[in-house]
Amino acid sequence: MAEREIGVGVVGYGLGGRVFHAPFVSAVPGLKLVSIMTSKADETEKAYPSVRISSSIEDLLADKSIELVVVSSPNETHFDLASRALNAGKHVVIDKPFAATSQQSRQLADLAKNKGLHVVPFHNRRWDGDFLTIRKILADGSLGRVVTFESHFDRFRPTPRENTWKEAGNPANGMLFDLGPHLVDQVLSVFGAPEAITASVRSDRDQTEIEDAFDITLHYPGKNSKGLLAHCRTSYLACINAPRFLVHGTHGSFIKYGLDPQEPALVGGAKVPTMGAPHVWLEEKESAWGKLAVAPVLSDPTMLVEKVIKTEPGDYRGFYANVRDAILGKAPLTVTPEDGYRVIKLLELARESSDKRCTLKIDF
């Protein structure tokens, strides 16, 4: 007997729904894109002619064929829409940020648990090719004991964009809650919970209503006070980009420039093939691969061995394949509600650390 398909409804068809959700839901066997709630009916119907357009959340939630709801709406609406979907008996994926506050995050996690449902933070950048490459290098021990891990996600937007909620002065908006969840989640997924946080959260542009830059340092303990510092950094005034990743260890270093190519490929009109045909849908250009430098003989640090490291293929289809398998009871969630809660809690502590200009202890 064929395994059932899981009907999916997507709330919102801005950049998130158009680039990160609808294409990848459609490309994962076992998921069926049933409905999209949007005010952009003409654009959506052209891209997905067989998908029903919903005009309201009530209309979408009333569809009994929809088992999973993807919330890709303005940040401040995430909690309300996700709560309504859970109360309607639907599983939920929530684009970052998981919620506007850690209290809301905990409430969503508790509601889902009580309903016997999944609520999943869309931390898709665990499936970025550059991050998968970092994980592989850290796992094979090439760098020795890692002492600093630096992650940048920069942009150059010296003036605010017009007519977008993303530039509106709301605590749920701004770079801290836009790109911060990706960077912090990646660190947590590799190194676990830190013991302390030091942060600077700023509005650097001449005119802005949002936080447009941050530097977050997560402190990890180690033996004999030899721990790890993980730095997460973003700026809207980065005309020349810093490395996407820079990692230093006792045996060597790894450096990588450039962002995962999946988003620009889709913005440029690329189509995501059905998962499994082919398995790899997008390879990064060799010119963007990172460089590893190690000292084979530590007593002679001048003799370094350098080599270019091929970037692992990124694939956001993996996120939705895992959500499908979790709903079917075939696998645990890779990204959990607890992950979503911890990320939002750390972002709140980053603001507090910045305001108080101090290092704060972390207790989840």
Side-chain angles (χ1 to χ4, degrees):
M1 184 174 179
E3 205 162 45
R4 63 183 173 85
E5 277 192 320
I6 296 168
V8 182
V10 173
V11 179
Y13 197 69
L15 177 68
R18 178 171 56 87
V19 170
F20 293 106
H21 297 292
F24 291 98
V25 167
S26 301
V28 174
L31 298 181
K32 181 181 180 182
L33 184 60
V34 173
S35 180
I36 298 175
M37 175 186 148
T38 179
S39 59
K40 305 173 182 178
D42 292 342
E43 178 186 349
T44 309
E45 287 174 347
K46 184 178 179 181
Y48 298 96
S50 63
V51 172
R52 189 170 67 85
I53 305 302
S54 296
S55 59
S56 68
I57 187 64
E58 291 83 5
D59 178 47
L60 187 142
L61 294 179
D63 190 334
K64 293 186 179 353
S65 70
I66 293 175
E67 197 171 345
L68 170 65
V69 172
V70 178
V71 176
S72 183
S73 54
N75 295 354
E76 63 191 74
T77 68
H78 287 187
F79 175 75
D80 176 63
L81 292 172
S83 298
R84 293 172 72 175
L86 289 168
N87 280 315
K90 316 290 188 183
H91 302 281
V92 183
V93 166
I94 310 175
D95 207 329
K96 47 78 187 170
F98 189 46
T101 67
S102 59
Q103 181 181 16
Q104 289 181 350
S105 301
R106 182 60 75 202
Q107 288 176 332
L108 288 174
D110 290 344
L111 177 59
K113 183 177 180 180
N114 291 337
K115 295 281 186 179
L117 297 167
H118 293 298
V119 59
V120 192
F122 186 60
H123 293 167
N124 63 307
R125 291 195 177 270
R126 292 196 197 182
W127 284 264
D128 273 357
D130 47 21
F131 182 64
L132 294 173
T133 306
I134 285 281
R135 295 197 76 130
K136 186 176 181 179
I137 291 170
L138 294 177
D140 70 23
S142 301
L143 301 177
R145 178 175 57 83
V146 175
V147 295
T148 59
F149 179 95
E150 190 165 335
S151 174
H152 282 258
F153 202 140
D154 295 322
R155 291 172 175 162
F156 186 59
R157 289 178 182 158
T159 59
R161 292 168 293 169
E162 297 181 355
N163 303 317
T164 173
W165 58 265
K166 292 186 177 182
E167 294 279 2
N170 183 296
N173 297 338
M175 298 296 277
L176 184 67
F177 272 62
D178 182 20
L179 297 181
H182 288 317
L183 303 190
V184 170
D185 176 69
Q186 287 180 335
V187 171
L188 294 185
S189 72
V190 173
F191 300 113
E195 67 173 8
I197 184 172
T198 309
S200 170
V201 182
R202 310 179 302 280
S203 298
D204 281 350
R205 294 179 296 180
D206 291 332
Q207 295 181 342
T208 187
E209 294 183 11
I210 63 171
E211 298 157 335
D212 57 26
F214 62 77
D215 292 87
I216 298 172
T217 298
L218 300 174
H219 304 255
Y220 286 86
K223 295 180 179 179
N224 302 319
S225 300
K226 296 183 184 296
L228 162 72
L229 295 179
H231 307 286
C232 301
R233 293 179 169 138
T234 288
S235 173
Y236 255 172
L237 294 177
C239 190
I240 299 176
N241 285 335
R244 174 67 182 89
F245 289 107
L246 177 60
V247 188
H248 296 306
T250 53
H251 292 182
S253 300
F254 176 75
I255 189 168
K256 169 75 173 67
Y257 286 87
L259 297 172
D260 181 279
Q262 292 179 86
E263 178 181 354
L266 285 163
V267 171
K271 302 297 182 183
V272 184
T274 300
M275 196 169 195
H279 177 67
V280 175
W281 86 278
L282 191 64
E283 296 269 15
E284 188 174 57
K285 294 180 180 179
E286 186 174 349
S287 59
W289 295 354
K291 184 171 72 173
L292 177 71
V294 297
V297 181
L298 297 183
S299 60
D300 186 4
T302 62
M303 187 179 71
L304 296 177
V305 175
E306 298 184 356
K307 63 178 178 178
V308 174
I309 302 297
K310 181 180 179 180
T311 302
E312 295 291 306
D315 195 340
Y316 300 149
R317 295 176 300 183
F319 172 86
Y320 274 109
N322 174 251
V323 172
R324 173 202 63 198
D325 291 347
I327 291 173
L328 295 175
K330 296 167 60 176
L333 283 173
T334 298
V335 186
T336 67
E338 183 66 20
D339 294 331
Y341 165 78
R342 290 189 172 199
V343 165
I344 299 301
K345 182 66 175 179
L346 286 176
L347 298 181
E348 290 176 337
L349 288 172
R351 276 196 182 127
E352 183 181 349
S353 169
S354 182
D355 290 343
K356 294 179 178 179
R357 299 188 179 187
C358 68
T359 297
L360 299 174
K361 291 288 186 182
I362 295 169
D363 183 3
F364 290 121

